[in-house]
Amino acid sequence: MSDYQDFIEEVLISEESLHARIAEIGREITRDYAGKDLLLICILRGGVMFLTDLMRKITIPHAIEFMAVSSYGVGGRESTGQVRITLDLNTDIRDRHVLLVEDIIDSGFTIKSVLELLSVRKPGSLKVCTLLDKTERREVEVPIEYCGFCIPNKFVFGYGLDIDDYYRNLPFIGAVNLDKYLATQTRKQLDTENDA
Ligand code: IMP
Ligand code: MG
């Protein structure tokens, strides 16, 4: 696997900026949900780092849950509009105050489908908290209650977000230089062929 240094274009959001903004969102959520039965639902896998940092900044009692949907296949960088639930909740959300925790909203198809699917289960409220918003790419309108950062139309990775399933561990958000990334993939492919 190539080092991210081989294809990063720039660090878009530093670790410090992420933590500062997440602390602010945590304070807002703490204030807005005081006295309510708050349930954070993390959409796997991209939202996982955001969830674990965010929940430490929310000082009211709350529960967490996970669900997984698939919208991007390996190698694909476009949402298809076809969203499939691959892991459902283990809990009843009726009358509970649900806040969906997402890594990024791009076309909006994923979060829109999740909202439709969960709203029929009659939660007390259902809102969206996303770390990143690529507004320019939006194809369907989605209501966003909390947003960390609006970002330009670039493919990003790190802090939970992947490129072909890797690099989620990086503590910052980086923008990829796709030409350089594809070159590293071609090199890898040639190496495998030479080894065979
Ligand atoms: P949407 O359905 O187009 O809004 O896509 C949402 C999902 O696509 C996110 O939850 C991410 O998993 C993935 N995604 C969108 N843009 C990026 C990106 O720039 N980097 C990594 N994953 C992305
Ligand atoms: Mg995601």
Side-chain angles (χ1 to χ4, degrees), residues 178-188:
L178 271 180
D179 291 333
K180 285 190 184 168
Y181 177 69
L182 292 174
T184 67
Q185 296 302 98
T186 314
R187 268 205 309 276
K188 203 173 75 188

Side-chain angles (χ1 to χ4, degrees), residues 167-195:
Y167 312 105
R168 295 186 194 273
N169 58 304
L170 299 170
F172 54 83
I173 300 279
V176 69
N177 178 319
L178 271 180
D179 291 333
K180 285 190 184 168
Y181 177 69
L182 292 174
T184 67
Q185 296 302 98
T186 314
R187 268 205 309 276
K188 203 173 75 188
Q189 180 70 30
L190 289 173
D191 288 347
T192 330
E193 281 167 18
N194 286 338
D195 288 347

Side-chain angles (χ1 to χ4, degrees), residues 43-47 102-104 110:
I43 305 186
L44 293 173
R45 289 159 284 187
E102 246 294 35
D103 51 354
I104 184 164
T110 306

Side-chain angles (χ1 to χ4, degrees), residues 67-184:
M67 69 185 290
V69 296
S70 78
S71 57
Y72 278 59
V74 167
R77 320 229 180 279
E78 303 286 319
S79 207
T80 55
Q82 298 289 321
V83 170
R84 204 162 48 88
I85 297 284
T86 52
L87 175 77
D88 207 341
L89 303 173
N90 275 315
T91 191
D92 190 0
I93 61 168
R94 179 175 281 270
D95 297 333
R96 302 181 73 182
H97 293 282
V98 172
L99 186 58
L100 288 173
V101 179
E102 246 294 35
D103 51 354
I104 184 164
I105 301 180
D106 187 24
S107 68
F109 286 128
T110 306
I111 202 76
K112 185 166 187 275
S113 309
V114 172
L115 284 169
E116 283 168 5
L117 193 113
L118 295 184
S119 63
V120 300
R121 301 182 192 181
K122 303 273 180 274
S125 65
L126 179 57
K127 292 191 169 153
V128 176
C129 174
T130 186
L131 179 65
L132 307 175
D133 179 0
K134 255 193 233 178
T135 326
E136 264 177 68
R137 298 250 312 164
R138 200 60 38 77
E139 298 203 28
V140 282
E141 212 182 303
V142 281
I144 302 177
E145 195 71 18
Y146 307 95
C147 170
F149 301 87
C150 286
I151 62 163
N153 182 10
K154 293 185 174 184
F155 199 83
V156 293
F157 65 100
Y159 198 76
L161 292 104
D162 68 304
I163 311 177
D164 298 339
D165 286 331
Y166 289 85
Y167 312 105
R168 295 186 194 273
N169 58 304
L170 299 170
F172 54 83
I173 300 279
V176 69
N177 178 319
L178 271 180
D179 291 333
K180 285 190 184 168
Y181 177 69
L182 292 174
T184 67

Side-chain angles (χ1 to χ4, degrees), residues 13-29 50 53-54 57 129-132 144-150 159:
I13 310 170
S14 69
E15 187 172 359
E16 295 70 34
S17 311
L18 284 168
H19 288 156
R21 182 71 187 116
I22 291 167
E24 281 175 9
I25 300 175
R27 281 195 290 274
E28 283 178 42
I29 294 172
F50 180 35
D53 280 340
L54 179 64
K57 301 295 178 191
C129 174
T130 186
L131 179 65
L132 307 175
I144 302 177
E145 195 71 18
Y146 307 95
C147 170
F149 301 87
C150 286
Y159 198 76

